[in-house]
Amino acid sequence: MIDTLPAMAFETTDLALAFCMMIGAALYSSVGHAGASAYIALMALFGVPPAVIRPTALVLNIIVASFGSARFIRAGMFRWRTLWPLLIGALPFAFLGGAIKLPGEYYRPLVGVVLLLSALRLLWPKELKATTEWKDPPVWLAVICGAGIGLLAGLTGTGGGIFLSPLLLFMAWSTPKPASGIAAVFILCNSVSGLLGNFSQIEALPPALPLYACAVLLGGLVGTTLGIRLATPAILKALSVVLLVAGAKLIGVY
């Protein structure tokens, strides 16, 4: 049975963490992400017990990704043909990754460097091919890429959007706006799979989880509104900031 942890000593701590999560959700959801890497970093900074950080991040991810998926699909910023081969590969490996407990020092620095390099490429003045032309990914290659992203998503307690979005753009498998919707649905499915894989290891969830859920939902409302209305260059800049924050977190800068 999953129990809740004892109440934190200061209610102001819960409120401060919820506010920071709201800001993180707004930034991440503007590019179709759900913010798990930000929630993980924030909970670590605020002293949340390590055992509950990953499942809590996945629960919050599911909330934001569900809302974001509905909004982006409704706005026409989605393409099923691009997504389904990625999901075929990702879902079983996200479940597997969620069930594995590995020391972070083996994969976090490498993944962090990849994200930082991806962010720098997005900030580079040379135009991305995906902003002017794109093509559907080959099914076999998308399945393989999905498997790798799903495993990383399960291991890190994220939905995989921080890995998927750069791939879609660098491979010209989607233009930036549809990439946001594809990432949102991908994150939702992966987060559910990762949480199911991690379920047997969940011992407790924070008592302030409803507060955090409301905060990230509000942030998601703001972020998805911006994501739907922003022009392509603004989306790319926002994505680069997300990747810089996530990459810095994974290599241990903060």
Side-chain angles (χ1 to χ4, degrees), residues 100-112:
I100 296 174
K101 293 183 69 174
L102 287 178
E105 60 267 22
Y106 291 120
Y107 61 89
R108 287 180 181 271
L110 177 60
V111 173

Side-chain angles (χ1 to χ4, degrees), residues 30-234:
S30 68
V31 292
H33 296 184
S37 58
Y39 309 145
I40 290 170
L42 289 168
M43 285 187 282
L45 289 172
F46 276 81
V48 175
V52 303
I53 287 180
R54 182 160 65 163
T56 301
L58 286 171
V59 169
L60 298 177
N61 236 33
I62 291 170
I63 293 170
V64 177
S66 297
F67 183 72
S69 296
R71 294 206 71 189
F72 285 123
I73 290 174
R74 186 175 180 181
M77 297 167 58
F78 177 72
R79 184 169 170 80
W80 175 246
R81 166 59 181 82
T82 306
L83 177 65
W84 71 259
L86 292 161
L87 283 180
I88 288 177
L91 292 180
F93 281 88
F95 182 90
L96 176 63
I100 296 174
K101 293 183 69 174
L102 287 178
E105 60 267 22
Y106 291 120
Y107 61 89
R108 287 180 181 271
L110 177 60
V111 173
V113 169
V114 171
L115 294 181
L116 291 176
L117 291 175
S118 299
L120 292 175
R121 175 61 188 90
L122 289 173
L123 292 170
W124 196 259
K126 183 179 179 181
E127 186 177 37
L128 286 171
K129 186 178 179 182
T131 61
T132 56
E133 58 180 288
W134 62 275
K135 60 184 182 300
D136 286 320
V139 171
W140 66 271
L141 182 57
V143 171
I144 293 174
C145 291
I149 293 173
L151 183 61
L152 284 172
L155 287 171
T156 57
T158 67
I162 53 176
F163 312 117
L164 177 63
S165 292
L167 178 69
L168 292 176
L169 297 177
F170 296 157
M171 298 294 288
W173 288 349
S174 174
T175 52
K177 277 187 173 290
S180 295
I182 294 167
V185 180
F186 183 86
I187 289 166
L188 172 59
C189 297
N190 261 342
S191 296
V192 171
S193 184
L195 185 62
L196 290 174
N198 188 241
F199 191 79
S200 63
Q201 301 177 26
I202 302 175
E203 299 176 358
L205 291 171
L209 182 59
L211 173 65
Y212 303 154
C214 291
V216 299
L217 188 58
L218 179 58
L221 173 62
V222 174
T224 53
T225 299
L226 291 174
I228 291 170
R229 297 180 180 180
L230 288 176
T232 291

